[in-house]
Amino acid sequence: MSDRIVLIEKLEKSFGDLQVLKGIDLAVDQGDVLAIIGPSGSGKTTLLRCINFLQPYDGGKVYIDGELIGYKEENGKLIKRPESTIARQRAKVGMVFQQFNLFPHMTALQNVTLGLIQVKGMSREESDEIGRSWLEKVGLSDKVDSYPAELSGGQQQRVGIARAVAVEPKVVLFDEVTSALDPELVGEVLSVMKSLAQNYHMTMLVVTHEMLFAKEVPIGWSSSTKGWSLKKVRRLQPCATRKPIDCNLFCAALSKYYKRKILNQKNSERISSFILKRKNGYIRQAGD
């Protein structure tokens, strides 16, 4: 059995006359953690939403665990699948959103177990056992019966993570999950994500502006600007963006920001050199 979890071939997506994704190719194997970075408006979230078919794509193909997502091929054409089939396919993909998206009238445990009951068809007893286990793993064993309004933003996001992984998806998508949090709450969410990657070997695609997290965990980088690159040897094809973006300026801005943010000059220089450098028209990790 192949270890290839996500395979994207020549993915395209437009909104009206604006082509956001153009010919994207991507392969993600079991246990890979990929950080997708880039300026706002460069199509990062659109890419994630196409992967789980929250956003239907216009061209190309997306495979999850070998299955074509959202469409079926008939006589060389892509025909949209029935909603019931798409819902089953989405069960293979967990997604954690920026704004938590918890049901306010449900407890933390009920939010986590809803998918287990509705999608997996589990009993209440079995789903509660799994839900409690994951809430404990994300450090919320004492918040099982709490409602979202009684939780901090970081705690709500950790419930969202537990909900996404409880159904045992093939891949988990994180869409800037710390962007809505106060700075003091960011660390607790990032530590859970690190644990998922390091202790549970989950396959993860992470859209993030947290460059220090992206440096520590992922095995690859992707910059959704004029060019894409991943890992040290894997390449992605160029993609379109909403507007022309100078990749060097983007990376320079990141470098400058972290030099201001980190007081230790030695660490600052190391991070500055690590972030990204431009080479042969592509964005590559420094040292490649």
Side-chain angles (χ1 to χ4, degrees):
M1 184 175 177
S2 174
D3 289 333
R4 183 62 41 83
I5 299 299
V6 179
L7 178 63
I8 298 176
E9 298 177 342
K10 303 186 184 308
L11 183 65
E12 297 189 354
K13 177 61 186 177
S14 297
F15 296 97
D17 295 331
L18 178 64
Q19 190 170 26
V20 179
L21 302 176
K22 180 179 180 181
I24 302 301
D25 293 314
L26 173 63
V28 182
D29 294 334
Q30 174 67 46
D32 280 359
V33 181
L34 169 64
I36 303 174
I37 66 171
S40 298
S42 56
K44 304 182 300 297
T45 295
T46 299
L47 175 61
L48 293 190
R49 291 176 65 84
C50 285
I51 290 174
N52 69 356
F53 212 70
L54 287 177
Q55 185 71 61
Y57 47 92
D58 302 327
K61 299 174 183 177
V62 176
Y63 295 90
I64 302 295
D65 200 29
E67 183 178 15
L68 181 62
I69 300 298
Y71 298 101
K72 59 182 178 180
E73 291 188 86
E74 290 185 1
N75 300 321
K77 296 182 179 180
L78 294 180
I79 308 298
K80 188 176 179 181
R81 293 181 183 271
E83 288 299 326
S84 58
T85 302
I86 294 173
R88 176 188 59 79
Q89 292 182 323
R90 286 200 186 109
K92 295 183 177 184
V93 184
M95 188 160 184
V96 186
F97 301 89
Q98 296 182 38
Q99 298 297 332
F100 321 141
N101 289 357
L102 301 180
F103 291 105
H105 63 290
M106 293 184 174
T107 65
L109 180 61
Q110 290 170 335
N111 269 280
V112 173
T113 59
L114 182 63
L116 295 171
I117 295 171
Q118 297 290 335
V119 179
K120 294 283 190 176
M122 291 184 180
S123 66
R124 172 65 66 181
E125 183 180 43
E126 185 180 9
S127 64
D128 279 358
E129 182 179 352
I130 294 174
R132 290 177 185 276
S133 174
W134 274 109
L135 286 172
E136 181 179 359
K137 290 173 183 175
V138 299
L140 294 175
S141 58
D142 59 335
K143 301 295 183 179
V144 168
D145 296 320
S146 297
Y147 289 89
E150 301 170 327
L151 302 175
S152 69
Q155 290 170 335
Q156 290 186 60
Q157 195 59 285
R158 282 186 279 160
V159 172
I161 293 173
R163 176 180 61 185
V165 300
V167 294
E168 298 183 333
K170 295 294 183 179
V171 59
V172 185
L173 312 178
F174 294 85
D175 186 15
E176 296 189 39
V177 295
T178 60
S179 64
L181 299 179
D182 293 333
E184 65 269 21
L185 302 177
V186 170
E188 64 187 59
V189 174
L190 295 182
S191 65
V192 169
M193 294 170 65
K194 291 177 186 178
S195 175
L196 293 178
Q198 296 170 349
N199 299 330
Y200 301 99
H201 308 292
M202 288 197 173
T203 307
M204 299 161 56
L205 274 69
V206 184
V207 168
T208 183
H209 291 298
E210 295 292 337
M211 298 301 293
L212 298 183
F213 167 78
K215 171 183 179 294
E216 289 181 24
V217 175
I219 52 114
W221 290 84
S222 177
S223 184
S224 45
T225 51
K226 287 187 177 180
W228 293 58
S229 67
L230 171 62
K231 271 184 152 180
K232 294 183 178 180
V233 295
R234 198 185 303 175
R235 278 289 185 87
L236 300 178
Q237 298 301 314
C239 69
T241 57
R242 295 174 182 267
K243 58 184 179 180
I245 299 171
D246 188 317
C247 299
N248 284 327
L249 291 177
F250 172 63
C251 297
L254 286 174
S255 175
K256 184 177 181 180
Y257 170 74
Y258 279 99
K259 278 190 175 183
R260 290 199 309 267
K261 187 174 181 180
I262 300 171
L263 298 179
N264 187 309
Q265 185 63 28
K266 183 177 180 180
N267 287 342
S268 173
E269 290 174 352
R270 184 174 68 250
I271 294 166
S272 169
S273 66
F274 181 90
I275 291 180
L276 294 172
K277 289 185 178 179
R278 184 162 187 146
K279 183 176 181 181
N280 298 329
Y282 285 83
I283 299 300
R284 293 177 62 85
Q285 177 179 320
D288 282 3

